[in-house]
Short mmCIF file of all heavy atoms in Angstrom, two decimals:
data_model
loop_
_atom_site.label_atom_id
_atom_site.label_comp_id
_atom_site.label_asym_id
_atom_site.label_seq_id
_atom_site.Cartn_x
_atom_site.Cartn_y
_atom_site.Cartn_z
N ALA A 194 47.63 -31.42 -160.01
CA ALA A 194 48.96 -31.54 -159.41
C ALA A 194 50.01 -31.58 -160.51
O ALA A 194 49.82 -32.18 -161.57
CB ALA A 194 49.04 -32.81 -158.56
N SER A 195 51.16 -30.96 -160.22
CA SER A 195 52.27 -30.98 -161.18
C SER A 195 53.58 -30.96 -160.41
O SER A 195 53.62 -30.67 -159.22
CB SER A 195 52.18 -29.77 -162.13
OG SER A 195 52.26 -28.56 -161.40
N GLY A 196 54.66 -31.29 -161.10
CA GLY A 196 55.97 -31.30 -160.47
C GLY A 196 56.16 -32.42 -159.48
O GLY A 196 56.94 -32.30 -158.53
N MET A 197 55.48 -33.56 -159.69
CA MET A 197 55.50 -34.66 -158.75
C MET A 197 56.43 -35.79 -159.20
O MET A 197 56.69 -35.96 -160.38
CB MET A 197 54.08 -35.22 -158.55
CG MET A 197 53.12 -34.19 -157.97
SD MET A 197 53.70 -33.53 -156.39
CE MET A 197 52.64 -32.10 -156.18
N ALA A 198 56.92 -36.56 -158.19
CA ALA A 198 57.87 -37.63 -158.48
C ALA A 198 57.36 -39.01 -158.06
O ALA A 198 57.71 -40.01 -158.67
CB ALA A 198 59.20 -37.35 -157.79
N ASP A 199 56.55 -39.07 -157.00
CA ASP A 199 56.06 -40.36 -156.52
C ASP A 199 54.72 -40.17 -155.83
O ASP A 199 54.41 -39.06 -155.34
CB ASP A 199 57.07 -41.00 -155.56
CG ASP A 199 56.80 -42.49 -155.35
OD1 ASP A 199 56.22 -43.12 -156.26
OD2 ASP A 199 57.17 -43.03 -154.30
N VAL A 200 53.92 -41.25 -155.75
CA VAL A 200 52.57 -41.17 -155.19
C VAL A 200 52.27 -42.42 -154.37
O VAL A 200 52.71 -43.52 -154.69
CB VAL A 200 51.52 -41.00 -156.32
CG1 VAL A 200 51.58 -42.17 -157.31
CG2 VAL A 200 50.12 -40.84 -155.75
N ALA A 201 51.52 -42.23 -153.28
CA ALA A 201 51.00 -43.33 -152.46
C ALA A 201 49.59 -42.96 -152.02
O ALA A 201 49.21 -41.79 -152.04
CB ALA A 201 51.90 -43.57 -151.23
N THR A 202 48.80 -43.96 -151.64
CA THR A 202 47.40 -43.72 -151.31
C THR A 202 47.05 -44.28 -149.94
O THR A 202 47.61 -45.26 -149.48
CB THR A 202 46.47 -44.37 -152.35
OG1 THR A 202 46.75 -45.78 -152.39
CG2 THR A 202 46.72 -43.78 -153.73
N GLY A 203 46.06 -43.63 -149.28
CA GLY A 203 45.56 -44.09 -148.00
C GLY A 203 44.29 -44.90 -148.16
O GLY A 203 43.84 -45.18 -149.27
N ASN A 204 43.67 -45.23 -147.02
CA ASN A 204 42.50 -46.10 -147.04
C ASN A 204 41.20 -45.37 -147.36
O ASN A 204 40.20 -46.00 -147.66
CB ASN A 204 42.35 -46.80 -145.68
CG ASN A 204 43.34 -47.93 -145.50
OD1 ASN A 204 43.78 -48.53 -146.47
ND2 ASN A 204 43.71 -48.21 -144.26
N ASN A 205 41.19 -44.04 -147.28
CA ASN A 205 39.95 -43.29 -147.47
C ASN A 205 40.06 -42.28 -148.60
O ASN A 205 39.44 -41.23 -148.57
CB ASN A 205 39.58 -42.57 -146.17
CG ASN A 205 39.29 -43.54 -145.04
OD1 ASN A 205 38.37 -44.36 -145.13
ND2 ASN A 205 40.07 -43.46 -143.98
N GLY A 206 40.84 -42.63 -149.61
CA GLY A 206 40.97 -41.75 -150.75
C GLY A 206 42.05 -40.71 -150.65
O GLY A 206 42.21 -39.89 -151.54
N GLN A 207 42.82 -40.73 -149.55
CA GLN A 207 43.90 -39.76 -149.42
C GLN A 207 45.00 -40.05 -150.42
O GLN A 207 45.27 -41.20 -150.74
CB GLN A 207 44.49 -39.77 -148.00
CG GLN A 207 43.49 -39.58 -146.89
CD GLN A 207 43.08 -40.90 -146.30
OE1 GLN A 207 42.77 -41.85 -147.01
NE2 GLN A 207 43.05 -40.97 -144.98
N ILE A 208 45.65 -39.01 -150.89
CA ILE A 208 46.77 -39.14 -151.81
C ILE A 208 47.97 -38.43 -151.20
O ILE A 208 47.87 -37.29 -150.76
CB ILE A 208 46.46 -38.53 -153.18
CG1 ILE A 208 45.15 -39.11 -153.74
CG2 ILE A 208 47.60 -38.79 -154.16
CD1 ILE A 208 44.66 -38.38 -154.97
N TYR A 209 49.08 -39.12 -151.15
CA TYR A 209 50.32 -38.55 -150.63
C TYR A 209 51.33 -38.51 -151.77
O TYR A 209 51.50 -39.49 -152.49
CB TYR A 209 50.86 -39.40 -149.48
CG TYR A 209 49.88 -39.60 -148.35
CD1 TYR A 209 48.93 -40.62 -148.39
CD2 TYR A 209 49.89 -38.76 -147.24
CE1 TYR A 209 48.03 -40.80 -147.36
CE2 TYR A 209 48.99 -38.93 -146.20
CZ TYR A 209 48.06 -39.96 -146.26
OH TYR A 209 47.17 -40.14 -145.24
N LEU A 210 52.02 -37.38 -151.90
CA LEU A 210 52.95 -37.22 -153.02
C LEU A 210 54.25 -36.57 -152.55
O LEU A 210 54.25 -35.81 -151.58
CB LEU A 210 52.34 -36.33 -154.10
CG LEU A 210 51.04 -36.79 -154.75
CD1 LEU A 210 49.99 -35.71 -154.60
CD2 LEU A 210 51.25 -37.10 -156.21
N VAL A 211 55.32 -36.88 -153.27
CA VAL A 211 56.55 -36.12 -153.11
C VAL A 211 56.86 -35.48 -154.45
O VAL A 211 56.65 -36.06 -155.52
CB VAL A 211 57.73 -37.00 -152.64
CG1 VAL A 211 57.51 -37.43 -151.21
CG2 VAL A 211 57.93 -38.20 -153.54
N GLY A 212 57.32 -34.23 -154.38
CA GLY A 212 57.62 -33.50 -155.59
C GLY A 212 59.02 -33.78 -156.11
O GLY A 212 59.87 -34.34 -155.41
N THR A 213 59.25 -33.39 -157.33
CA THR A 213 60.58 -33.56 -157.91
C THR A 213 61.62 -32.74 -157.17
O THR A 213 62.82 -33.04 -157.26
CB THR A 213 60.57 -33.16 -159.39
OG1 THR A 213 60.04 -31.82 -159.51
CG2 THR A 213 59.70 -34.10 -160.21
N ASN A 214 61.18 -31.74 -156.41
CA ASN A 214 62.10 -30.93 -155.60
C ASN A 214 62.16 -31.39 -154.15
O ASN A 214 62.71 -30.69 -153.29
CB ASN A 214 61.69 -29.46 -155.65
CG ASN A 214 60.27 -29.22 -155.13
OD1 ASN A 214 59.56 -30.17 -154.80
ND2 ASN A 214 59.88 -27.97 -155.06
N GLY A 215 61.58 -32.59 -153.84
CA GLY A 215 61.64 -33.16 -152.50
C GLY A 215 60.55 -32.71 -151.57
O GLY A 215 60.52 -33.11 -150.39
N THR A 216 59.61 -31.90 -152.02
CA THR A 216 58.52 -31.42 -151.17
C THR A 216 57.49 -32.53 -150.94
O THR A 216 57.45 -33.53 -151.66
CB THR A 216 57.83 -30.21 -151.81
OG1 THR A 216 57.47 -30.55 -153.17
CG2 THR A 216 58.78 -29.02 -151.82
N PHE A 217 56.63 -32.32 -149.94
CA PHE A 217 55.63 -33.32 -149.54
C PHE A 217 54.24 -32.71 -149.71
O PHE A 217 53.99 -31.59 -149.23
CB PHE A 217 55.87 -33.73 -148.09
CG PHE A 217 54.89 -34.75 -147.57
CD1 PHE A 217 55.09 -36.10 -147.81
CD2 PHE A 217 53.77 -34.36 -146.85
CE1 PHE A 217 54.19 -37.04 -147.34
CE2 PHE A 217 52.88 -35.29 -146.37
CZ PHE A 217 53.09 -36.63 -146.62
#
């Protein structure tokens, strides 16, 4: 992954990110 700004995690190993350009 690249171009990312923030990260959060779920209960089963999921990763959620927002990009520096506001993408999800």
